[in-house]
Amino acid sequence: MAAPIRLRDFQRIVFFTGAGMSAESGIPTYRGSGGIWKEYDYQEYACQAAFDRDPEKVWDFHDKRRAAVAKCEPNPGHRIVTRVQEEKPSTVIVTQNIDGMHQRAGAKDVVELHGSLWRVRCDPENVVRPDETMPMDPRKCSCGGYWRPDIVWFEDQLDHRVVRRAREALEECDLLVSIGTSGVVYPAAQLPRIAAERGAMTVEINLEDTPVSSLYRHRLRGKASDVLAELYG
Ligand code: APR
């Protein structure tokens, strides 16, 4: 595939990433074959109601996810994104991923729209802190309540401060590269429209077409790492 654009020709790049960015690291996506939501019902494992009903069950699920992610390494695609950010410090990474793989590849100031597997919070005490224990221990806060994964679950609101950072980056960018997202989860899926409407160059990298493909000037079909290597070359 001859690269229609070169990353080096742009100054203010936003990488907007989804689960497909981490697929080559061995982390399952959510909706593809072998997807997490094919095996687990999110209403039992990834929403506030499930947590209120059975926090131990929800933590067992997230402990499994922590253990699975911890076994994986960032892939060449993550490393290219980091390298671009090192070369062009105004590069912003906006991710829906909670796996922390961009950070493990050395990326800075990653905008985590859906939170992180590696942070917990106690809502009654309004405390948020990093946590990489496996399994998560202790599951209970000193106030007696359960620590909650600091993840944006279904039916949760996104953190407006995080959304604002994403909006600002998309308003200012001259290139948006969307990587490995199905574009079906809102409000995150709405965000790339900001860059397109501002006249930025827009590229979608995915194995297949998505419901938002028409938004993008270039729709590049292939694995994230391969296509990024082409665009970086
Ligand atoms: N390279 C490029 N794209 C890929 C690759 C790959 N190696 N592997 C899979 N993909 C694509 C799939 O074709 C699909 O379009 O990645 C996309 C993954 O889609 P989803 O599983 O729906 O993941 P995502 O879009 O990130 O989900 C959004 O939904 O479940 C919630 O909060 C969760 O952040 C998540 C949100």
Side-chain angles (χ1 to χ4, degrees):
M1 172 206 83
I5 59 118
R6 296 279 182 202
L7 298 175
R8 64 170 170 263
D9 298 333
F10 295 85
Q11 304 321 314
R12 298 178 311 286
I13 301 173
V14 170
F15 291 104
F16 182 82
T17 69
M21 180 83 234
S22 295
E24 294 153 66
S25 296
I27 300 173
T29 64
Y30 293 97
R31 293 169 187 82
S33 63
I36 293 168
W37 303 142
K38 295 249 165 89
E39 195 181 338
Y40 294 92
D41 176 355
Y42 79 83
Q43 292 178 345
E44 292 295 317
Y45 298 99
C47 64
Q48 187 64 44
F51 189 68
D52 297 340
R53 222 174 22 246
D54 190 344
E56 293 286 336
K57 178 179 174 180
V58 170
W59 262 118
D60 290 347
F61 168 73
H62 286 85
D63 275 334
K64 271 202 204 115
R65 294 212 60 196
R66 282 187 172 194
V69 167
K71 284 198 200 96
C72 301
E73 291 298 326
N75 61 54
H78 291 116
R79 301 196 189 286
I80 290 171
V81 167
T82 298
R83 203 174 316 144
V84 172
Q85 190 187 48
E86 284 161 355
E87 292 164 0
K88 299 171 187 277
S90 65
T91 299
V92 177
I93 301 157
V94 177
T95 191
Q96 297 168 81
N97 298 345
I98 62 173
D99 56 26
M101 280 291 168
H102 283 299
Q103 292 92 328
R104 280 178 56 193
K108 300 277 178 298
D109 303 325
V110 178
V111 180
E112 296 178 306
L113 292 171
H114 294 159
S116 173
L117 202 48
W118 308 108
R119 267 195 316 273
V120 295
R121 65 181 205 238
C122 174
D123 290 336
E125 298 205 306
N126 199 19
V127 172
V128 182
R129 66 169 176 79
D131 185 278
E132 300 191 0
T133 55
M134 282 189 293
M136 163 61 180
D137 183 46
R139 285 181 174 184
K140 284 193 173 179
C141 172
S142 53
C143 73
Y146 274 88
W147 287 107
R148 181 203 190 280
D150 186 31
I151 294 170
V152 176
W153 286 327
F154 289 88
E155 293 133 30
D156 282 351
Q157 298 291 320
L158 275 63
D159 181 325
H160 65 90
R161 294 159 296 186
V162 175
V163 173
R164 191 175 52 234
R165 283 189 61 204
R167 278 185 168 281
E168 285 165 3
L170 290 159
E171 282 162 2
E172 287 154 19
C173 73
D174 59 359
L175 172 64
L176 164 67
V177 184
S178 168
I179 308 168
T181 181
S182 58
V184 298
V185 172
Y186 286 77
Q190 182 71 23
L191 290 170
R193 193 167 293 283
I194 297 169
E197 287 171 358
R198 292 258 172 171
M201 174 55 73
T202 52
V203 173
E204 182 191 49
I205 300 174
N206 199 304
L207 298 174
E208 60 192 18
D209 287 352
T210 69
V212 291
S213 292
S214 60
L215 183 73
Y216 295 90
R217 173 78 180 72
H218 297 291
R219 299 150 213 171
L220 309 181
R221 299 292 164 254
K223 288 185 172 178
S225 295
D226 298 340
V227 178
L228 280 167
E230 290 281 341
L231 299 184
Y232 182 75

